[in-house]
Amino acid sequence: MLIKYEQCPLCFSSKILFYKKGQLSPSMLSPEKIKITDADYGLTWDLSRCLDCSFVFANPCPEEKFITSLYSEVKDPAYEVEALGRRQTFRRLLHRLEKLRPQRGYLLDVGAATGLFLDEAKKRGWQVLGIEPSRWAVEIAQKQGLKVFQGSLEDFKIDDQRYDVITLIDVLEHTPNPRKIVEKVQKLLKPQGLILIVTPDLESFLAKLTGRYWWHYRPAHLVFFNRQSLKKLLALTHFEVLSWKRYSWHFSLSYLFSRLPFTFWLLHKPFLSSLWSRIQLKLALGDSFEVYAQKKERA
Ligand SMILES: [Zn+2]
């Protein structure tokens, strides 16, 4: 169930060192623990770090098949409750993406969840397809008339269809082997196709400030990038970076309160609680990367 790495899974260097002692073991994992809105912050796997590319990864790491089977069982109604804020975040991503790719073509969203991003993209004229392991999420997306393949990117068969844009929004940190994912994305893209990656930055100000309580240390996160390792991944998989930004997201005040124990009472004042859900905040934590890169043609 666990794989012990002797080499960096990103650059294959054998110069890897112990990085951080974790608290997690596979028996502690369940669909409940890995849903998007889980709040088990501060929990990690034993982590190793590559001295050559600085990639940080769970070592030993749960097997891909095990992870995918857990995700297929995930149900996360709280994700949908925050749909308004998520849609706003996604529209901003699409706006930036369309500055680089004004013509709407074929868009593939990996880790599509309930299809909020797909739905926003479709409204703007993109031909959309999603990939999502959770059966619960796929059903919700399909009920809205969205095309979503149920399974992992690994299971997704490459046919003749090639995509103009492939998005990996908060996906890579959940996968044992991001290099394999991005290599497959490379194959699925049209020449000069665009990849969008959003993933936490291990060396962000917030990560350093909050230390071991950083909210991206959670059971579902198996690997962590900094600027160097994410650049390395894109170079190794033949991508040229077009735009490198920091990610901010929209959410309601009630969502924030529900994550902070000392604001519990604020949620339970009936006259206030409906107000909190309508107030949208834009949170510029800046602790994730938002990177747009273009597929290079191999020499
Ligand atoms: Zn490495």
Side-chain angles (χ1 to χ4, degrees), residues 8 11 50 53:
C8 168
C11 76
C50 172
C53 76

Side-chain angles (χ1 to χ4, degrees), residues 7-16 49-57 229 232 236:
Q7 282 184 331
C8 168
L10 200 157
C11 76
F12 306 147
S13 162
S14 48
K15 285 188 254 164
I16 57 174
R49 184 172 188 271
C50 172
L51 291 180
D52 279 323
C53 76
S54 75
F55 184 55
V56 170
F57 51 99
S229 54
K232 182 81 184 176
L236 286 168

Side-chain angles (χ1 to χ4, degrees), residues 97-109:
L97 201 148
E98 287 159 3
K99 277 193 181 159
L100 298 164
R101 281 293 180 279
Q103 291 131 308
R104 318 293 200 255
Y106 287 90
L107 183 149
L108 177 67
D109 184 33

Side-chain angles (χ1 to χ4, degrees), residues 101-145:
R101 281 293 180 279
Q103 291 131 308
R104 318 293 200 255
Y106 287 90
L107 183 149
L108 177 67
D109 184 33
V110 182
T114 58
L116 296 174
F117 181 78
L118 288 178
D119 192 47
E120 289 298 326
K122 191 178 167 185
K123 282 187 203 158
R124 300 164 79 105
W126 292 89
Q127 303 276 330
V128 298
L129 175 69
I131 298 180
E132 169 57 43
S134 158
R135 288 195 192 90
W136 170 85
V138 169
E139 205 174 297
I140 292 177
Q142 287 174 343
K143 273 186 190 153
Q144 301 164 71

Side-chain angles (χ1 to χ4, degrees), residues 1 22 36 46 57 67 80 88 119 133 136 158 168 184 193 224 231 299:
M1 214 187 267
I36 303 169
D46 284 347
F57 51 99
I67 294 291
E80 280 285 290
Q88 237 170 307
D119 192 47
W136 170 85
I158 300 182
L168 297 161
K184 184 144 180 188
F224 297 93
K231 270 191 175 164

Side-chain angles (χ1 to χ4, degrees), residues 208-270:
K208 285 177 179 159
L209 183 76
T210 53
R212 69 186 197 90
Y213 298 105
W214 188 36
W215 71 304
H216 282 301
Y217 285 137
R218 55 212 287 180
H221 289 181
L222 305 174
V223 303
F224 297 93
F225 291 91
N226 64 4
R227 184 175 273 265
Q228 187 195 352
S229 54
L230 190 52
K231 270 191 175 164
K232 182 81 184 176
L233 171 65
L234 288 166
L236 286 168
T237 50
H238 307 277
F239 281 95
E240 182 193 349
V241 174
L242 299 181
S243 171
W244 194 290
K245 295 183 181 324
R246 296 218 163 252
Y247 182 67
S248 56
W249 56 297
H250 293 83
F251 61 98
S252 68
L253 210 50
S254 71
Y255 186 78
L256 177 69
F257 288 163
S258 70
R259 308 259 141 224
L260 304 171
F262 51 84
T263 56
F264 184 76
W265 64 273
L266 276 169
L267 273 176
H268 294 274
K269 302 266 180 227

